[in-house]
Amino acid sequence: MSLFGLKFGKKKLKEEERQLQANNRDFNLQFEYANNSIKTSKYNFFTFLPLNLFEQFQRIANAYFLFLLILQLIPQISSLAWFTTVVPLVLVLAVSGVKDAIDDFNRHKSDKHVNNRPVQVLINGMLKDEKWMNVQVGDIIKLENNNFVTADLLLLSSSEPHSLTYIETAELDGETNLKVKQALTVTAELGEDLQKLTEFNGEVKCEAPNNKLDKFTGTLTLQGEKYALDNEKMLLRGCTIRNTEWCFGLVIYAGPDTKLMQNSGKTTFKRTSIDRLMNVLVLVIFAFLALMCLILAIGNGIWEYDKGYYFQVYLPWAEGVNSASYSGFLMFWSYVIILNTVVPISLYVSVEIIRLGNSFYIDWDRKMYYPLNDTPAQARTTTLNEELGQIKYIFSDKTGTLTQNIMCFNKCSINGKSYGDVYDMSGQRIEINENTEKVDFSYNQLADPKFAFYDHSLVEAVKLSDVPTHRFFRLLSLCHTVMPEEKKEGNLVYQAQSPDEGALVTAARNFGFVFRARTPETITVVEMGETKIYKLLAILDFNNVRKRMSVIVRSPEGDLTLYCKGADTILYELLHSSCDSLKEETTEHLNEFAGEGLRTLVVAYKNLDEDYFQDWIRRHHEASTALEGREDRLSELYEEIEKDLMLLGATAIEDKLQDGVPQTIETLAKANIKIWVLTGDKQETAMNIGYSCNLLNDDMEDVFIIEGSTPDDVLNELRNARKKMKPDSFLDSDEINIQFEKSSKKPKLIPDEQANGVYGLVITGHSLAYALEGNLELELVRTACMCKVVICCRVTPLQKAQVVELVKKYKKAVTLAIGDGANDVSMIKTAHIGVGISGQEGMQAVLSSDFSFAQFRYLQRLLLVHGRWSYIRMCKFLKYFFYKNFAFTLVHFWYGFFSGFSAQTVYDEWFITLYNLVYTSLPVLGMSLFDQDVDDRWSMLFPQLYVPGQQNLYFNKIVFVKCMMQGIYSSLILFFIPYGAMYNTMRSDGKAIADYQSFALMAQTCLLIVVSVQIGLDTSYWTVVNQFFIWGSLSVYFAITFTMYSDGMYLIFTASFPFIGTARNTLSQPNVWLAIFLSITLCVLPVVGFRFLKAQLKPTPSDKVLLKIKEAKKRPPPPSPKRRLRRTSTRRSGYAFSHQHGFGALIMSGRNMRPKSPFATTGTFSPNSDKHKHKGL
């Protein structure tokens, strides 16, 4: 292995094409392909120290303190001891280093867990258990049902007929429906014969590793024959094997070369905007410091030349100093050391402590704890808290983040009667909650125990053998492409192509129409306890144009029937004229269902004439075997037979949202946060969820759909949308057009543009691919950012990251990405803040995130409460910290003019040491950890309070300049008032107190009381801790001062405590206290006056909201009743949007069938059998 895991020598060439041989490790090793080990950590044992120190010294202040330490080691200019800098610097670096090490240790732990997963690898004719990380390109591995796919594999063979393999791709694209992969016939023959598999020596040539999840091209050469390979034969890492006992695969890409890892993005070092601003401000302060030191050094040169030269008997020059100019040069560096407290290192220690404290609040927040799976909220990174208070764009995944991945049969309309609502005795509709009585399905032994329904009248209709109701559920049990699995008698599991289908078939099952088994020619249904076998004569398959599917079946009685279900807009056109009145009633119900955000579907049937059907099926066979125009001919035949249908009713499925999603989105929108949904799901599914969670609504002026298939089409669609939203944006006078016409390579930030209404934008993955290229990206970001909501569907994980990167590039805004699966990792890493939801799709998202919790609804509390408080606290802390240090340090500057520019300190050296460490550290920490302008309840009720954080109003360059000016003003007062008060002053007993030590004590006492009063003015929320810290710090100051200036301390440490008796001598004089009071008044009065006048004459929006809250607190509002979000909405079909076209043909061919257990295929089983009656007792 190379030294420390780093490769030296020749650079590896970029891979153009991959070539590999099965079962030939020696051949494959020559290409140096990556093995299956993955690495998401940043450091290893040897690189941690240099890399971490490099990252930490990117903070200019850390580099500055290192420079200062070097200066303090030079005796000629050192005016303070070296340990005053080295101890805090090492402390800061150590605290940050330990924190980074713990974060990276967790990443190592996660990598180790994944890399050490077991897998069966074929080695020397035997299956051996190996760790994932030891798998190599060209190995043949065996996977079993519910296994994660180890690497990107070429499927060779499987337990299913025709070597089909069912996989779930939720980790890759968020879709929970099953997908089918099929091996080549030539490799399918290998089966599970280990001898044949070992002898398999096929050679694969394919494309180099890339991030395209839906594309793969390659060839397999076996015994001189070439076979084409495509994506349908590939099993990608991140998928899960389902409904397949075993399969064998050949490793094509491993570890970092897999498509999942190619999409995962890099772990980046995240810093907050305040961190970056502080770097700039520190540079400004350095320049200011250098200017002050230069002025004082020049002053020293002049003074030494003019006066000091003649006073060398009393003030001898330092050893080696032989001229006034050299003295000035040395004095420059001495003043750099003395005045360095304008950027004290304690600033960074305090910032880390504040961030850590606010992170604990997130961890401890019970209102963000999810008891169902015992998951508390977790701040996984402690350096980004205040940025949670500045979020402008949220990028959210859909599946598992907004939704629960659960489809529920919620309501239905049968023969003009609506079912699903619950009414009380007075006929009033009541809200369904966990206490509502569920329908008892115990009479049905085959019912799904997890299925819940609340309207008892539907069960009664079924039990009374109501003909339309029976026909309705018979249709649901027959018209679908679901595959049943019954490993144990009576224990049915449905494997559905689409979750919608699964929900409908499960509903039919519970209401007594149990889909039990299927063969290519039959469907077995247990109808009200009686097993019936229907002959399946044709499946008229679903596609995106037809938006419906039909089956033609022959009942045991010999009746021919076509059953159809599909989108209402399509099916209504195909109904018989006799259904008009029923259509009107059903439409009303559909509108009701859609208003509640449910996914609707219309069902209909048609009895067929035997002769007509025989003619139709003959023509169908001819069309399906035609070489030309097959699809068009089949489509025409489908249209012909699906006419004059009889309407049965409609279904309403709820794609269960996570609790509180619509309310959360509504609240975040009030906080002026824009939400973009980035999902791998289809357009219709994504839009459905958009409507059901209140992202999209019918009050919007328009929802633009961008689905162009060429760059020009996409550009035109984007421009047309922008023209409608803001026609002025095409004028030459538009500031953004002017800005971008000036050619410059550096990307420019685009200011926010206001549209002339509320709009939404939906863009598909292939259109997005064009929009993210070249000059189209600017058009995309301008158009999309004008919309209130953007939904990107069918996007790859990498495209999610590219969209986030695009907004970061062109918008001065803080972004947050939230997701729950491996397909969200790259987006989470790219955004300023990444939030992982610990959901059903594994823990990859959580492991890559900065913050994590269990439910999307907690996001509003994270941002509006914790984020906002963290931001306000950090801003108050920085304003106060810079103020108190300018006031403290600049007194030295003014004193220089009265001390011959001699680098003499104003204060006692002990006061300088303890000022930031003891006297002023705890009060500011108390404020920064406990302060809140309003409590959490008001923060949630008034989301508008969040807006100042987005605009960065509480701490920016202007605010910093104001702090600086206030500090300069205070330093003038704090120097000249004590100086004037002490000048030629006598004590009441006639003794003088106009000495340096008395002046120093008075100046430092004034300073400490002034900064204590200032923090009192800055505190909005008083606690016992704040009071204790402020009064305690003042008490400690006086206690230490009287102790250190006492006779005893002088006698014990004569050299260290020279201010003997000064405290007793000075602080006993009334005129000293009068001067102190005058200093405090002059420092504080302008601040109080300015704040009062500003709030009265020019209040900010936040001031107005705070005033409202103050008034509301006087008369607390009654608790707001829990309301259900209801709105009018257009109908949206929810039919089978995740369907793969062609699945019907697969079922009819029987290629995916295998013999089932005898009880699933016989016609004798009944839930009313004695056996099951005994079971139920």
Side-chain angles (χ1 to χ4, degrees):
M1 187 182 168
S2 54
L3 184 65
F4 305 150
L6 301 169
K7 289 187 180 177
F8 297 100
K10 64 174 185 180
K11 190 181 174 183
K12 191 181 171 186
L13 295 170
K14 193 183 175 196
E15 197 177 332
E16 298 291 337
E17 183 186 60
R18 177 152 293 205
Q19 185 180 357
L20 61 106
Q21 277 184 10
N23 293 313
N24 190 344
R25 278 195 174 184
D26 294 335
F27 175 81
N28 299 326
L29 282 171
Q30 67 179 321
F31 299 107
E32 295 184 13
Y33 296 138
N35 66 11
N36 205 39
S37 171
I38 61 156
K39 177 175 172 283
T40 58
S41 54
K42 288 202 290 192
Y43 316 108
N44 63 31
F45 183 78
F46 297 103
T47 61
F48 173 73
L49 205 58
L51 276 180
N52 189 259
L53 286 175
F54 174 73
E55 279 181 359
Q56 292 210 53
F57 280 115
Q58 284 183 347
R59 274 186 180 163
I60 293 168
N62 285 349
Y64 163 68
F65 288 117
L66 187 65
F67 169 68
L68 209 65
L69 177 62
I70 294 163
L71 284 185
Q72 284 178 308
L73 297 174
I74 302 168
Q76 285 88 344
I77 56 173
S78 179
S79 44
L80 290 169
W82 62 272
F83 56 79
T84 56
T85 300
V86 78
V87 172
L89 179 61
V90 169
L91 184 71
V92 170
L93 295 175
V95 168
S96 298
V98 167
K99 191 167 57 59
D100 289 341
I102 291 167
D103 286 348
D104 208 57
F105 175 73
N106 289 331
R107 282 192 282 267
H108 272 284
K109 214 161 118 185
S110 153
D111 290 347
K112 192 176 175 186
H113 172 71
V114 172
N115 288 332
N116 287 334
R117 281 178 182 165
V119 66
Q120 296 179 72
V121 182
L122 186 64
I123 300 172
N124 301 326
M126 293 172 66
L127 284 172
K128 292 185 179 173
D129 281 339
E130 271 285 9
K131 293 176 179 173
W132 273 29
M133 62 182 181
N134 296 331
V135 170
Q136 304 273 359
V137 170
D139 286 355
I140 291 177
I141 63 174
K142 181 182 181 181
L143 296 172
E144 293 175 344
N145 198 26
N146 297 327
N147 279 178
F148 288 111
V149 177
T150 311
D152 289 356
L153 311 176
L154 170 66
L155 178 61
L156 296 177
S157 61
S158 83
S159 56
E160 301 303 293
H162 301 275
S163 278
L164 293 172
T165 300
Y166 298 93
I167 58 167
E168 188 182 278
T169 58
E171 286 282 327
L172 285 173
D173 56 20
E175 288 191 5
T176 51
N177 56 300
L178 291 185
K179 293 189 173 65
V180 184
K181 301 287 181 179
Q182 185 174 12
L184 285 166
T185 313
V186 68
T187 62
E189 293 163 0
L190 300 170
E192 56 180 334
D193 186 327
L194 296 187
Q195 184 63 38
K196 282 185 184 174
L197 285 162
T198 306
E199 290 166 2
F200 177 70
N201 61 352
E203 189 170 315
V204 173
K205 281 187 180 176
C206 62
E207 61 195 12
N210 59 66
N211 53 42
K212 292 173 182 165
L213 291 172
D214 55 351
K215 209 174 144 204
F216 175 79
T217 52
T219 58
L220 169 68
T221 307
L222 185 64
Q223 296 167 358
E225 291 286 324
K226 270 193 177 182
Y227 303 90
L229 303 177
D230 58 26
N231 206 43
E232 296 307 306
K233 296 166 184 61
M234 292 293 291
L235 305 179
L236 302 185
R237 181 177 180 135
C239 301
T240 311
I241 304 293
R242 298 283 189 223
N243 206 15
T244 307
E245 279 181 34
W246 54 261
C247 66
F248 283 88
L250 170 66
V251 178
I252 305 293
Y253 305 120
D257 291 342
T258 58
K259 290 183 184 282
L260 175 69
M261 294 307 291
Q262 291 274 314
N263 270 290
S264 68
K266 288 182 180 175
T267 302
T268 52
F269 179 60
K270 292 184 179 180
R271 287 189 301 175
T272 66
S273 53
I274 282 185
D275 262 343
R276 291 189 292 273
L277 177 62
M278 274 162 61
N279 265 358
V280 174
L281 297 182
V282 166
L283 282 174
V284 172
I285 293 169
F286 289 162
F288 183 64
L289 174 66
L291 180 67
M292 287 195 297
C293 294
L294 186 65
I295 292 167
L296 293 167
I298 293 168
N300 177 264
I302 295 168
W303 192 88
E304 291 289 1
Y305 180 79
D306 194 36
K307 298 273 193 336
Y309 182 78
Y310 305 105
F311 280 87
Q312 288 191 53
V313 175
Y314 305 103
L315 288 170
W317 284 353
E319 193 180 329
V321 176
N322 50 21
S323 71
S325 55
Y326 186 56
S327 170
F329 171 75
L330 291 179
M331 218 45 75
F332 175 88
W333 299 109
S334 296
Y335 269 115
V336 165
I337 294 168
I338 287 175
L339 300 177
N340 83 77
T341 46
V342 278
V343 192
I345 195 157
S346 57
L347 169 69
Y348 285 93
V349 180
S350 305
V351 163
E352 292 299 326
I353 291 169
I354 293 163
R355 284 173 173 166
L356 191 65
N358 284 311
S359 298
F360 281 133
Y361 292 151
I362 294 169
D363 294 347
W364 297 337
D365 192 342
R366 288 186 178 182
K367 290 178 181 173
M368 290 167 72
Y369 169 73
Y370 190 56
L372 290 184
N373 55 7
D374 187 28
T375 310
Q378 192 181 7
R380 298 173 52 80
T381 305
T382 56
T383 53
L384 303 170
N385 305 34
E386 70 271 10
E387 203 139 70
L388 288 170
Q390 299 178 274
I391 303 297
K392 187 73 188 285
Y393 288 90
I394 291 175
F395 299 91
S396 173
D397 175 40
K398 179 191 76 70
T399 313
T401 303
L402 300 176
T403 63
Q404 295 182 26
N405 279 356
I406 299 168
M407 295 286 181
C408 276
F409 180 85
N410 200 300
K411 294 181 181 181
C412 62
S413 167
I414 304 173
N415 202 30
K417 188 172 188 316
S418 176
Y419 297 97
D421 288 322
V422 182
Y423 298 89
D424 59 16
M425 300 300 286
S426 61
Q428 291 292 312
R429 189 170 132 180
I430 57 174
E431 189 83 29
I432 292 171
N433 56 37
E434 60 271 10
N435 301 320
T436 310
E437 188 191 355
K438 293 178 184 174
V439 169
D440 181 14
F441 290 110
S442 58
Y443 70 91
N444 179 1
Q445 295 289 347
L446 291 172
D448 183 346
K450 295 193 286 292
F451 180 83
F453 201 76
Y454 301 91
D455 186 354
H456 295 261
S457 63
L458 185 54
V459 182
E460 295 307 314
V462 171
K463 285 182 176 175
L464 292 169
S465 299
D466 179 58
V467 175
T469 308
H470 275 219
R471 192 172 278 148
F472 177 87
F473 284 115
R474 187 177 295 118
L475 183 150
L476 295 185
S477 68
L478 292 169
C479 184
H480 55 77
T481 57
V482 172
M483 298 296 296
E485 198 174 2
E486 189 172 2
K487 289 193 173 168
K488 215 165 75 183
E489 188 172 353
N491 184 10
L492 270 172
V493 177
Y494 291 141
Q495 299 290 352
Q497 259 274 295
S498 124
D500 306 60
E501 291 233 291
L504 293 173
V505 177
T506 302
R509 167 186 174 178
N510 276 59
F511 284 102
F513 288 74
V514 185
F515 166 56
R516 193 72 191 276
R518 73 155 78 239
T519 70
E521 296 86 27
T522 64
I523 297 176
T524 306
V525 180
V526 180
E527 292 186 6
M528 303 304 289
E530 184 185 345
T531 301
K532 289 188 176 182
I533 299 176
Y534 289 83
K535 283 188 179 172
L536 178 61
L537 303 173
I539 294 179
L540 284 57
D541 206 359
F542 167 89
N543 68 34
N544 280 325
V545 178
R546 284 167 44 76
K547 292 193 177 173
R548 63 186 184 275
M549 83 161 281
S550 303
V551 293
I552 299 172
V553 295
R554 191 187 297 277
S555 70
E557 295 78 32
D559 299 328
L560 268 177
T561 313
L562 178 144
Y563 292 109
C564 181
K565 64 180 180 185
D568 54 273
T569 49
I570 303 288
L571 242 69
Y572 272 9
E573 302 298 316
L574 308 173
L575 295 178
H576 192 274
S577 55
S578 62
C579 300
D580 286 355
S581 61
L582 179 56
K583 190 159 79 171
E584 282 177 25
E585 291 172 353
T586 308
T587 303
E588 276 181 38
H589 297 155
L590 282 170
N591 288 334
E592 260 180 59
F593 300 157
E596 294 172 36
L598 303 176
R599 297 166 67 156
T600 57
L601 181 72
V602 169
V603 295
Y605 75 102
K606 177 183 179 181
N607 291 318
L608 297 174
D609 174 68
E610 182 71 43
D611 295 338
Y612 168 74
F613 175 70
Q614 292 304 333
D615 176 56
W616 183 89
I617 200 77
R618 178 183 54 77
R619 287 183 288 138
H620 177 268
H621 178 71
E622 287 171 8
S624 61
T625 53
L627 295 175
E628 288 182 13
R630 183 185 301 177
E631 292 296 323
D632 294 338
R633 288 176 65 181
L634 282 172
S635 186
E636 282 172 21
L637 280 167
Y638 292 168
E639 292 277 346
E640 179 193 315
I641 201 166
E642 290 172 328
K643 271 183 189 168
D644 298 332
L645 303 176
M646 302 302 292
L647 179 61
L648 268 174
T651 62
I653 290 177
E654 182 182 4
D655 186 354
K656 264 200 175 301
L657 295 172
Q658 287 201 8
D659 295 340
V661 165
Q663 294 85 346
T664 301
I665 285 170
E666 191 180 25
T667 306
L668 293 173
K670 284 179 186 168
N672 199 30
I673 295 172
K674 294 190 174 183
I675 299 175
W676 293 27
V677 176
L678 311 176
T679 177
D681 257 352
K682 288 190 177 175
Q683 180 185 316
E684 294 91 336
T685 322
M687 286 182 73
N688 250 307
I689 294 300
Y691 279 103
S692 59
C693 64
N694 268 9
L695 275 167
L696 301 173
N697 57 62
D698 292 333
D699 297 332
M700 286 183 162
E701 303 282 332
D702 201 353
V703 176
F704 304 111
I705 296 175
I706 312 296
E707 49 189 353
S709 50
T710 67
D712 291 340
D713 291 347
V714 174
L715 182 63
N716 289 332
E717 287 174 351
L718 288 169
R719 282 195 171 157
N720 290 338
R722 180 155 65 92
K723 195 175 281 184
K724 185 168 182 181
M725 288 190 286
K726 190 183 178 188
D728 293 351
S729 66
F730 284 88
L731 299 175
D732 291 339
S733 57
D734 182 73
E735 61 173 298
I736 298 175
N737 293 337
I738 295 166
Q739 188 182 340
F740 278 88
E741 272 167 21
K742 296 174 185 171
S743 58
S744 168
K745 288 185 180 176
K746 191 186 173 204
K748 294 191 179 77
L749 292 171
I750 300 176
D752 285 343
E753 298 177 271
Q754 291 301 317
N756 54 20
V758 178
Y759 294 90
L761 181 85
V762 178
I763 182 166
T764 59
H766 61 268
S767 300
L768 186 62
Y770 295 124
L772 290 169
E773 289 174 4
N775 60 347
L776 259 72
E777 67 173 23
L778 182 61
E779 194 64 49
L780 172 66
V781 84
R782 282 190 74 177
T783 306
C785 290
M786 275 195 232
C787 298
K788 187 185 174 190
V789 174
V790 177
I791 297 176
C792 303
C793 40
R794 277 284 176 233
V795 290
T796 65
L798 197 70
Q799 280 181 325
K800 290 184 178 187
Q802 287 171 333
V803 170
V804 177
E805 192 59 59
L806 185 69
V807 174
K808 281 173 70 179
K809 180 178 170 184
Y810 286 109
K811 287 284 176 182
K812 191 181 180 182
V814 180
T815 58
L816 178 145
I818 179 168
D820 72 325
N823 56 321
D824 305 314
V825 167
S826 54
M827 165 174 88
I828 284 169
K829 285 180 179 176
T830 306
H832 293 102
I833 302 276
V835 177
I837 288 187
S838 37
Q840 300 178 4
E841 292 187 23
M843 294 294 283
Q844 283 92 329
V846 170
L847 292 167
S848 303
S849 66
D850 306 306
F851 300 89
S852 68
F853 42 69
Q855 294 276 294
F856 182 83
R857 69 174 185 270
Y858 299 147
L859 184 62
Q860 62 179 325
R861 187 166 177 85
L862 182 73
L863 300 188
L864 303 184
V865 178
H866 292 287
R868 193 173 148 275
W869 281 351
S870 294
Y871 172 69
I872 291 173
R873 287 165 183 166
M874 186 59 75
C875 293
K876 279 191 173 186
F877 165 78
L878 291 171
K879 285 191 284 190
Y880 175 75
F881 210 91
F882 283 123
Y883 161 72
K884 78 179 177 72
N885 282 294
F886 272 107
F888 166 70
T889 308
L890 264 69
V891 174
H892 288 299
F893 180 74
W894 310 122
Y895 184 60
F897 290 90
F898 295 82
S899 62
F901 306 99
S902 58
Q904 163 74 38
T905 56
V906 176
Y907 317 111
D908 167 23
E909 204 170 71
W910 283 103
F911 180 80
I912 293 172
T913 308
L914 297 175
Y915 177 71
N916 277 315
L917 205 63
V918 177
Y919 301 147
T920 60
S921 59
L922 288 178
V924 72
L925 279 177
M927 179 185 74
S928 308
L929 290 172
F930 302 109
D931 203 46
Q932 40 183 272
D933 51 351
V934 292
D935 64 22
D936 56 344
R937 189 168 67 96
W938 294 108
S939 293
M940 302 278 270
L941 279 174
F942 289 92
Q944 305 91 315
L945 286 169
Y946 189 80
V947 175
Q950 295 172 332
Q951 297 165 352
N952 207 11
L953 295 182
Y954 292 150
F955 189 75
N956 50 44
K957 289 170 188 170
I958 295 167
V959 171
F960 170 73
V961 169
K962 286 179 185 173
C963 294
M964 199 170 162
M965 299 309 290
Q966 187 191 352
I968 293 169
Y969 166 77
S970 294
S971 70
L972 280 163
I973 301 292
L974 292 168
F975 176 75
F976 285 103
I977 297 286
Y979 180 79
M982 284 290 176
Y983 192 71
N984 288 337
T985 305
M986 294 288 182
R987 277 173 30 144
S988 52
D989 59 3
K991 292 178 182 176
I993 53 169
D995 58 84
Y996 160 69
Q997 292 188 345
S998 298
F999 165 70
L1001 178 68
M1002 187 177 173
Q1004 64 199 38
T1005 306
C1006 282
L1007 170 71
L1008 200 65
I1009 296 174
V1010 163
V1011 296
S1012 298
V1013 172
Q1014 181 66 44
I1015 200 152
L1017 290 174
D1018 287 347
T1019 303
S1020 307
Y1021 182 69
W1022 285 93
T1023 63
V1024 175
V1025 178
N1026 293 78
Q1027 297 273 9
F1028 176 73
F1029 281 170
I1030 292 172
W1031 295 109
S1033 293
L1034 285 169
S1035 306
V1036 166
Y1037 165 70
F1038 284 111
I1040 289 175
T1041 302
F1042 277 99
T1043 304
M1044 288 202 301
Y1045 297 177
S1046 64
D1047 301 353
M1049 292 298 282
Y1050 175 73
L1051 292 170
I1052 300 165
F1053 305 104
T1054 308
S1056 300
F1057 299 102
F1059 278 44
I1060 180 171
T1062 310
R1064 284 198 313 273
N1065 184 34
T1066 310
L1067 295 178
S1068 59
Q1069 299 306 304
N1071 60 335
V1072 169
W1073 283 103
L1074 195 64
I1076 290 171
F1077 178 72
L1078 179 63
S1079 300
I1080 296 164
T1081 307
L1082 286 172
C1083 284
V1084 171
L1085 202 60
V1087 179
V1088 175
F1090 174 76
R1091 288 184 184 179
F1092 173 77
L1093 291 171
K1094 187 172 178 290
Q1096 294 299 316
L1097 304 176
K1098 201 180 172 186
T1100 61
S1102 289
D1103 291 334
K1104 291 172 187 172
V1105 174
L1106 290 169
L1107 192 67
K1108 268 191 205 171
I1109 291 171
K1110 208 173 275 184
E1111 287 167 5
K1113 277 180 178 174
K1114 291 172 189 170
R1115 43 178 194 287
S1120 54
K1122 281 190 177 177
R1123 62 197 178 85
R1124 181 162 178 170
L1125 273 162
R1126 291 181 63 91
R1127 44 176 177 57
T1128 56
S1129 171
T1130 50
R1131 297 194 305 279
R1132 294 174 308 284
S1133 165
Y1135 174 51
F1137 285 130
S1138 303
H1139 245 78
Q1140 259 182 303
H1141 174 55
F1143 204 68
L1146 190 67
I1147 286 172
M1148 291 295 288
S1149 71
R1151 297 207 324 263
N1152 62 338
M1153 302 291 176
R1154 54 178 169 167
K1156 299 283 177 187
S1157 50
F1159 46 79
T1161 50
T1162 58
T1164 54
F1165 174 78
S1166 163
N1168 298 329
S1169 66
D1170 291 342
K1171 182 177 171 183
H1172 278 273
K1173 278 180 183 169
H1174 292 311
K1175 269 189 188 178
L1177 294 174

